[in-house]
Each structure stands twice: as structure tokens, then as C-alpha cells.
Amino acid sequence: PPKELLTMQTLSFPSKPPDELLDQLVAVDCGMVRIGPRLRKSGKKRNQQQQQPAALRRVCIVDGRGVPLLNEVVRVPPPSPVVETHPQGYQTRLGRQLSDHVLPRINPCGDDLNVGLPPDEVKRAAADLVKGKIVIGHSVDSDLRSLELLKSHPRKMVRDTALYPPFLTKKGNSHRLSFLVKERLGRNIQQEARYHGCMEDAVASLDLYLSDWEKWEKMTACSPLMHTHTSKCNLTNAS
């Protein structure tokens, strides 16, 4: 990851997370590239938000100490002929820009969508890394869904910084990851003037969790630190 990234080794937390917990953690962030025509949501409202099909483009996973375990670019399979002829082209969440043409498959950031590992290969590697681990992320269900792990990974082993009650607005809504990192950790991420990527976001979500890990685990029915629950929750063999 970039040198300017701060991890738990350079931040001061209320109490130091034990190695027992750190060994159980991984943080995940996936980059998506939107493909094909925009599709309107069903309904009667005229100004509803449009959606586009999305494909997995990058997968980043770090361990509980912020050490990268996986940082791979995923090849985007060619779209169907119907999508190929559509003028909308591709939209990348990482670059937040639209390309003017579908072919060649290179977005405005110079990202060649033909370059990368096959999606199935990266998904298998990710599945092996998160198996039996507590998975941290911001709106992490989207990442798990992209990796085809949403249904298989136990919910008790997920820590979502977008849903954690102390991190929500007064009305119970989620904050942006960049806002939470600025407010709670005092650093800036996802700045408009420079490129940002999945590794930065994965480390940020990990640090957010670690900033309140003790309270979070006490609020969690199944935790590796709550010894009264360890007999009921076999974390090591969870799948």
C-alpha cells in the first residue's frame, strides 16, 4: 500500500487489540467496473436512480495488522454483443469517469479491461483467505456478493463499518467511508485530486474497526474475545 497509509501500528487506540483478535481479522474491498446500458429501476417514479450491470475489477484483502494478503486486478470478460454496441460504454467506480467508446476496452484512467487474472481464480483465492475469518469492510455485503461469498460466509463473522450503530447518523443512515475516516482517525482518503484504490479503503475500514474494537465485540453475540460464547461459536472452524 502507499507509504502515506496509516495502520494500527501508527495510530493510538483506546486499548491495544490482542493478537488473538488480530489473527482472526481480514479487511476486504473490491473495485467494480460498470458495464453496458443503464437500467432504470422498476416503479412509477420518473426520476429514479439508474443502475448498470457491474463486473469485478480489483480485489484487495489485508490481514488484521494491515499487511496485504491479496491485491489483484481481475480481467473483465467481454460484454455481450448487445452491450458492445451500446454508446454508454464502461464506467469505473475507481476513476468515477465514463469512457466514450466500448472498444478498445480502455477507460479514461488508462485501465485496460482485458488485463488481469480470470475472475474465478481471484474469487477462489479470496474465498481461501476469508474462510474462518472475521471479515471487515464498508458496505461489505457488496464486496462479499461480488466474490460470491455473501451467502456462504457466516453473518456472525462480518463487521460492517457502514452498519455499526456508533458510526451511523442520528437518523440511522450510513456515513461515507471517507467521512468516518476523517472524523474518527483524522486522515483524508479518497481525495478527488489523486487516485485512490481498494487497498486504501480496505486499510481504512480495518482501522475504523480497530478504533472501537472492544465495544464492537462486546456488542457482538459471537466474539473470539467473549469467552462465555466460545463454546457455542467455533470461530476457527467457521466456514
Side-chain angles (χ1 to χ4, degrees):
K3 294 182 179 180
E4 67 269 23
L5 287 183
L6 298 177
T7 65
M8 56 162 291
Q9 297 176 352
T10 55
L11 292 170
S12 297
F13 295 116
S15 57
K16 183 180 179 180
D19 289 338
E20 178 187 8
L21 176 63
L22 297 179
D23 291 341
Q24 289 281 347
L25 304 179
V26 292
V28 178
D29 190 77
C30 295
M32 308 298 294
V33 59
R34 298 197 180 278
I35 56 176
R38 294 193 176 193
L39 305 176
R40 288 190 178 275
K41 293 182 179 180
S42 60
K44 297 182 179 180
K45 294 183 179 180
R46 297 182 60 184
N47 297 323
Q48 289 183 330
Q49 184 179 1
Q50 294 178 329
Q51 291 183 321
Q52 286 179 273
L56 185 65
R57 183 55 181 152
R58 181 179 287 275
V59 179
C60 294
I61 301 178
V62 300
D63 67 12
R65 296 169 178 82
V67 177
L69 301 176
L70 185 67
N71 183 15
E72 292 292 349
V73 174
V74 182
R75 184 186 310 150
V76 178
S80 66
V82 175
V83 175
E84 276 186 2
T85 59
H86 197 280
Q88 288 279 337
Y90 291 89
Q91 181 186 15
T92 171
R93 190 186 72 176
L94 296 180
R96 301 176 185 277
Q97 298 181 42
L98 278 170
S99 62
D100 296 325
H101 306 284
V102 173
L103 298 175
R105 299 186 329 124
I106 299 177
N107 66 21
C109 298
D111 185 16
D112 186 345
L113 301 178
N114 296 299
V115 173
L117 296 179
D120 289 344
E121 181 178 335
V122 178
K123 290 177 182 179
R124 285 195 298 268
D128 290 341
L129 289 173
V130 306
K131 185 176 182 180
K133 300 291 186 178
I134 296 175
V135 177
I136 302 166
H138 194 74
S139 298
V140 72
D141 278 4
S142 298
D143 302 309
L144 293 174
R145 184 180 297 107
S146 300
L147 297 171
E148 299 181 9
L149 297 173
L150 182 60
K151 294 182 179 179
S152 61
H153 198 77
R155 298 307 301 173
K156 64 189 179 185
M157 306 289 284
V158 175
R159 305 291 186 269
D160 196 332
T161 56
L163 300 178
Y164 180 50
F167 292 173
L168 300 178
T169 67
K170 292 181 179 180
K171 293 184 178 181
N173 298 321
S174 300
H175 282 293
R176 294 177 61 88
L177 178 62
S178 56
F179 174 86
L180 288 174
V181 172
K182 178 65 175 179
E183 289 294 306
R184 296 190 62 89
L185 305 179
R187 73 176 190 253
N188 296 310
I189 64 169
Q190 302 180 353
Q191 298 180 68
E192 295 295 335
R194 67 178 181 87
Y195 172 83
H196 74 275
C198 299
M199 188 62 69
E200 181 181 49
D201 290 355
V203 172
S205 62
L206 170 66
D207 287 343
L208 281 173
Y209 166 82
L210 292 174
S211 72
D212 206 28
W213 69 270
E214 195 166 17
K215 181 178 178 181
W216 199 323
E217 292 308 318
K218 288 180 179 179
M219 294 174 59
T220 304
C222 181
S223 167
L225 299 184
M226 302 296 106
H227 298 293
T228 57
H229 294 284
T230 52
S231 60
K232 299 179 182 179
C233 304
N234 191 344
L235 294 171
T236 303
N237 298 323
S239 59

